[in-house]
Amino acid sequence: MVYNLQETARGLSLPPQARCLVGLYDSQSGPLADQSENARFLVGCQSVTPNGSQVHLVTLEEGYSCQSFHLRNQSFVHPDGEVVGLTALPAAPLLFVSVYSSISESKTELSSGARIWRLPPPSQSLSPTESEDEKDIDFADRPPEQLEFVSSLPCNDFSSIKKVAAHPSETCSDLVCVLGPPLPGTQHFPGGRTVSPASSFLAVLKTASGDYAVDSCSQLRLPTEVDEVAGGAITASVNAVRWSPHRNASTVGVAFDSGVLGIDTRCMQPCFWLGDVHWPCVRDIDFNPNLDHILATGGDDGCLSVWDLRSIQKTSATSYGNFSFRNVSSGTVGLNPLVTIPAHSHWIWTVRYHPTRDQLLLSASSDSCVCLYGLPSFSSETRNSNKTGATKATSGGSSPAESEISVEGLEDGVLARLEQQQESIYAVDWSPVDPWTFASVNYDGHFLVNQVPDKVKLGILLQRDDDDDEEGDVEANDFDKV
């Protein structure tokens, strides 16, 4: 069954030319922290007019009736130019990084940069005593506020900043940046060889006493076994960079052309290479949050693919060991994905795994559609994938209608589609605060918030409870035998 999410979606109109969206992390900590913080999303809107670009903070505020919520929007002026990328920091939830591009006053030069900004803390929720009129305030009529500037990323030695990704841990604030070639005469300019203006460099930035500094940097190159022409230097445009949360976050994936290159950040050398993943271009990638060898990709062919990195043929080991896929691959000739789903009729721009339930994925495409997938057979819950079909969840209700809730068994494929938006959808993301909630925004600025269908959510939660009970019974039987 494929659900239509249009009926449950809540929308908000933002300025046009929206290209990026991120879910914000929980900004509260400590034993006295309020555990009911609302989900918040950050949206970047572009404009070539001076101070015309904006960043919008959208808060999902729950109402006081069942299944009721409304959206609150705060607008901020982005003074540096067009917003081309946003990155949330798990270790500093009130901070975010914006990548921007701007045109000189003479209209002859295009420059780029990245800055760190601070958001205001979450406002207090509306109290039950407030009137309905106060709950329905149109925050869009308020003038844009000013962002609090924190610092700029120290990338002045490089010609441009292309992509930024944050360390996935809540205890580390490191950043990884895809940069243009370093300027001649600077510290990171490679002496003794020619550097193409289209080449890309990967830099790891670490913070000390509040200021970031480049800790390590290397030019992006294909493994020698793959391409010996011009030293294997990558000159294609980089479309995505993602930081794997596994093995102390030592792997970064970079998508360009039709392939995905893995970089081991401990030695800044290639650790895997997936070639001919999508034709003609890979637009986005995401690592499975629970399995270190599973990677999801989306591209211009409109397909979502899931890959097992252990299947890559290994030819030489790095100096950091032979475990898993940390070995350079000579290519992916004959390597097939675990699954490919042609769910879209145009390019896929964003692919996102659920933060914890890796059987759920999202994709956004320029065919004006968002797809929610269920892939239990290729997740950490593989052992439960054969338990499909409808089940019943029993509650304490008195009538049969109240005591039983129909629950859909999770099967591989598209679970739900959102086709309410009429323009290209470039971004979709989950909320780290409420992981059953996700948001998308199209190029016209139509922002939509939705949730995983209740039957799917209950099916996943009840399946986990049943498995825990079965494990407990097995352990009890083993104890009795002893």
Side-chain angles (χ1 to χ4, degrees), residues 315-331:
T315 60
S316 62
T318 67
S319 59
Y320 287 90
N322 299 321
F323 56 88
S324 188
F325 53 88
R326 298 280 183 255
N327 298 322
V328 174
S329 165
S330 61

Side-chain angles (χ1 to χ4, degrees), residues 10 70-71 126 131-139:
R10 296 297 300 270
H70 62 279
L71 302 177
L126 296 172
S131 65
E132 292 296 327
D133 293 337
E134 290 175 317
K135 295 179 184 179
D136 295 332
I137 294 175
D138 188 3
F139 292 92

Side-chain angles (χ1 to χ4, degrees), residues 430-443:
W430 299 94
S431 167
V433 176
D434 180 6
W436 301 106
T437 300
F438 60 92
S440 61
V441 64
N442 70 354
Y443 191 65

